[in-house]
Amino acid sequence: MDYFKNIFESAATVFEGLTITASHMFRKPITIQYPDRTLSPVIEMLPSRYRGFLEVDMKICTGCTLCMQACPIQCINIEIAKKTPSPQPSPSRGEGDGGGVPMRLITKFNIDIALCMFCGLCTEPCPTGAIRFSKRFENATEDINKLMFKFVEEGKPVAPYKKSSG
Amino acid sequence: MIQQLSLLFPMLPMWLVQAIWCGVVAVLLLTFFSLFAGPVSWLERRIAGRIMSRIGPNRVGPQGIIQWLADGVKNFLKEDLIPRDADKILFRFAPYPVFLGVTLTLVTLPFSSLLIGADLNVGLLYIVGAWGLVVIGLIAAGWSSNNKWTLLGGMRSAAQMISYEIPLVLSLLVVVLMSGSLSLQTIISSQGASPVEWFIFSNPFAFIAFVIFMISAVAEGNRTPFDLPEAESELVAGYNTEYSGMRFLFFFFAEWGNLYVIGALAASLFLGGWQIPAGWRNFASAQGPILPHVFEVLMFQLKTWIWVLLIIQLRWTLPRLRVDQLMKVSWKYLTPFAFVSIVGTGLWMVVFPEGWLFMKYLLLFSMLAVIGYFVWRAIWQLRFTKSKADFKLIV
């Protein structure tokens, strides 16, 4: 008796399966056609706390190097130079005013994004929130040196942000 | 046709005219074959995509319709790798029987009452014989690659194709019994344009034979749920694991060509082939000598494509059978029922020499009822799953 039951069940299940697949012919595909045929740019579709590449807002960076110390794999490299500004000739005040005060300058702020593991430990101690995750994630390149993000251009040191001075 | 051609070119000897004519027909058939197998590979991938809620290839050309050309060019440019320890002669030889076995069957497929490569009086026997060549190619490919996966695939294909050839041929015998001929044109002529004149609805046993034919033809074509020789998840790619480039493509040409052969055989043996209603024929004949043949070709293609699409859908619906289940289906279910349908058809023809019209209509309407239930059930599936229906077919 199992014999005919098997035949009936196979026919019935094949029929049922065919109806399911036939109904799928009239359903919307859920594919997101990254990168070029998405409804909105992919960056806008990412969640707000997405961990993309690190970015640093140099306007509010205090140069405290807390992020460098927090990084477990040393992919952040900051160099601070203490420098006495050369006396600027100023006709009204005479010469050498303020020349004696040493000034901190950030001469280098590199993040090796090829090394970065996106743990987010650097963003936590930052007092001003200057270092943070962006939503950028597309940066395939043939040259690994291009993945060294330089936030301070060479030869153009940036003065750190100071609350009191602002 | 050849006589008329030799009258056109009286300066040429008869054998040369014949040879040229054979060449032209062969080229036409092969062109048709490739023009079918290519786009249908794209179509199948699109359908598979929709069934899996994906999109499928849609980048090359409008809606990806020339994806198959890109694939073909890619395969042309690939290196033709032959493994070091392979049996090199067999390895080179293996794709050809597979390709040949499928293309040879095209010769006797009747596209219309005129368009046929050769109306052999043993056409059906010829098709079965030519199809048998595929097994040789698959075993040769499996053996010569010197790889355990390919060997397993080859052995499976041997077991599968030999056991499924039996119910296949037995179910074809039912058609031969009813038409009294092995020639495909005669088989089609002994059916009519109306569904009740088709062999499939002539008696219940013929209907069983049709079902058996479809199942075992799918198994002959190595398509899911009977794709054990390939079995991607178990055997990497089965018998064609070691193949690359054009040789690999030959196997796939054969697979999609098989699809057409199955559909065309089902259409011509059981569904009345190119027969068109008398009204259409009269209308077409009034327009000129070519139009009736156009109608016939379109009718034949329509019937063929129904089965091609069904087999494609079946592939993406059912999981693969196990080896023991495969053997069980063939020997315990299909073969006994094939015998039953042969004996039953014989008895039916003795009891009802003119056929029993009530049974024909009963079968026809029960078939229509099944199709109607299928449509209703598919719509029910759409509603039941609460997934949004989207009638825009192409994305």
Side-chain angles (χ1 to χ4, degrees):
Chain A
M1 220 51 234
D2 269 359
Y3 186 77
F4 292 101
K5 204 179 128 203
N6 284 346
I7 295 174
F8 176 76
E9 278 185 354
S10 61
T13 48
V14 168
F15 182 87
E16 181 77 8
L18 283 176
T19 58
I20 291 174
T21 47
S23 76
H24 270 270
M25 297 297 293
F26 300 100
R27 281 179 204 178
K28 233 186 184 121
I30 57 166
T31 309
I32 295 169
Q33 296 189 66
Y34 175 80
D36 56 335
R37 287 192 198 167
T38 47
L39 293 175
S40 55
V42 179
I43 280 186
E44 290 170 19
M45 295 157 76
L46 294 171
S48 59
R49 294 183 60 186
Y50 183 79
R51 293 183 173 190
F53 296 142
L54 286 168
E55 65 177 5
V56 182
D57 190 349
M58 289 313 291
K59 280 180 196 142
I60 53 170
C61 177
T62 59
C64 61
T65 72
L66 278 176
C67 52
M68 188 168 86
Q69 292 159 32
C71 183
I73 48 176
Q74 284 87 42
C75 70
I76 302 176
N77 190 358
I78 304 173
E79 277 179 13
I80 306 280
K82 274 192 181 135
K83 191 169 164 189
T84 315
S86 59
Q88 286 170 356
S90 166
S92 62
R93 287 192 185 178
E95 63 177 32
D97 186 29
V101 181
M103 202 177 161
R104 288 169 74 247
L105 280 175
I106 308 171
T107 55
K108 192 178 178 189
F109 198 125
N110 284 0
I111 299 179
D112 189 354
I113 218 74
L115 203 62
C116 176
M117 61 177 181
F118 306 98
C119 61
L121 290 178
C122 53
T123 62
E124 281 166 25
C126 187
T128 55
I131 186 164
R132 59 178 180 248
F133 285 117
S134 67
K135 284 188 184 175
R136 277 173 54 232
F137 62 96
E138 300 157 303
N139 208 357
T141 171
E142 291 169 3
D143 183 10
I144 198 168
N145 293 326
K146 283 182 186 165
L147 291 177
M148 180 72 81
F149 286 7
K150 292 172 181 163
F151 294 96
V152 176
E153 285 175 53
E154 264 176 68
K156 288 185 186 172
V158 176
Y161 171 75
K162 274 181 195 158
K163 248 181 206 168
S164 56
S165 72
Chain B
M1 193 59 97
I2 290 165
Q3 275 79 26
Q4 290 151 2
L5 276 176
S6 63
L7 285 178
L8 273 176
F9 305 101
M11 69 293 270
L12 293 175
M14 187 68 187
W15 60 268
L16 193 61
V17 173
Q18 201 152 5
I20 292 170
W21 179 241
C22 287
V24 168
V25 171
V27 167
L28 276 180
L29 281 176
L30 274 177
T31 312
F32 170 76
F33 183 64
S34 3
L35 283 184
F36 172 82
V40 105
S41 71
W42 166 79
L43 182 72
E44 169 153 12
R45 288 167 66 189
R46 286 308 294 264
I47 290 178
R50 289 306 290 239
I51 285 174
M52 298 170 178
S53 292
R54 294 187 286 113
I55 294 171
N58 67 340
R59 293 298 172 102
V60 192
Q63 297 301 328
I65 197 156
I66 51 171
Q67 178 73 43
W68 58 282
L69 272 180
D71 290 345
V73 170
K74 187 193 85 174
N75 269 306
F76 265 119
L77 298 176
K78 289 274 173 185
E79 186 186 357
D80 181 25
L81 272 177
I82 298 178
R84 194 189 57 202
D85 293 333
D87 186 335
K88 293 196 177 53
I89 298 168
L90 261 187
F91 191 83
R92 287 168 189 275
F93 162 79
Y96 300 115
V98 178
F99 188 70
L100 206 64
V102 181
T103 38
L104 278 183
T105 56
L106 282 174
V107 173
T108 51
L109 288 186
F111 295 97
S112 85
S113 55
L114 186 73
L115 272 179
I116 180 168
D119 184 21
L120 303 178
N121 54 3
V122 287
L124 213 46
L125 197 64
Y126 167 81
I127 284 178
V128 173
W131 232 354
L133 273 179
V134 175
V135 192
I136 298 174
L138 297 191
I139 301 178
W143 170 258
S144 65
S145 305
N146 196 10
N147 177 324
K148 289 178 185 65
W149 284 313
T150 61
L151 184 59
L152 272 174
M155 296 316 287
R156 280 183 182 189
S157 78
Q160 173 181 334
M161 298 189 87
I162 289 168
S163 21
Y164 275 85
E165 211 133 85
I166 292 162
L168 181 82
V169 177
L170 287 177
S171 63
L172 293 183
L173 266 186
V174 173
V175 175
V176 176
L177 208 60
M178 284 189 289
S179 67
S181 167
L182 284 165
S183 149
L184 267 86
Q185 290 289 39
T186 319
I187 288 173
I188 292 177
S189 313
S190 53
Q191 304 174 64
S194 139
V196 287
E197 290 169 280
W198 295 347
F199 281 155
I200 179 176
F201 296 128
S202 70
N203 65 55
F205 300 105
F207 191 83
I208 294 175
F210 174 74
V211 175
I212 291 170
F213 168 77
M214 282 313 287
I215 296 174
S216 41
V218 170
E220 281 282 300
N222 286 329
R223 290 185 66 82
T224 318
F226 302 105
D227 70 338
L228 282 104
E230 275 179 53
E232 292 92 351
S233 50
E234 305 157 30
L235 302 178
V236 189
Y239 58 85
N240 58 28
T241 306
E242 298 285 0
Y243 281 88
S244 61
M246 216 41 212
R247 289 176 208 283
F248 175 74
L249 207 61
F250 267 123
F251 284 114
F252 273 83
F253 255 117
E255 187 180 328
W256 279 302
N258 243 325
L259 204 61
Y260 188 83
V261 174
I262 295 167
L265 275 183
S268 52
L269 297 180
F270 289 94
L271 296 170
W274 40 257
Q275 296 273 9
I276 52 171
W280 296 15
R281 182 177 294 282
N282 292 337
F283 168 76
S285 305
Q287 310 298 318
I290 298 172
L291 203 59
H293 291 291
V294 173
F295 275 19
E296 284 173 357
V297 169
L298 289 181
M299 194 56 150
F300 184 74
Q301 295 300 326
L302 177 73
K303 287 172 181 171
T304 307
W305 273 95
I306 289 173
W307 299 110
V308 168
L309 292 177
L310 180 74
I311 295 169
I312 288 177
Q313 197 196 344
L314 209 57
R315 171 168 182 183
W316 301 101
T317 304
L318 299 178
R320 184 182 305 122
L321 268 69
R322 245 176 16 230
V323 181
D324 62 319
Q325 290 169 335
L326 182 88
M327 290 296 120
K328 204 189 256 177
V329 168
S330 171
W331 295 107
K332 286 173 93 175
Y333 293 90
L334 295 184
T335 312
F337 270 94
F339 278 117
V340 166
S341 66
I342 289 180
V343 174
T345 309
L347 284 175
W348 194 276
M349 286 167 69
V350 171
V351 178
F352 305 103
E354 300 298 312
W356 187 16
L357 207 57
F358 171 73
M359 186 51 86
K360 290 181 178 178
Y361 274 109
L362 186 69
L363 282 170
L364 173 61
F365 283 114
S366 44
M367 187 73 186
L368 289 179
V370 168
I371 294 170
Y373 180 63
F374 180 85
V375 172
W376 179 83
R377 185 78 182 167
I379 294 170
W380 182 84
Q381 298 283 6
L382 267 180
R383 283 194 191 155
F384 173 73
T385 47
K386 294 200 174 111
S387 157
K388 257 189 194 165
D390 172 27
F391 287 92
K392 208 175 80 190
L393 268 169
I394 299 172
V395 172

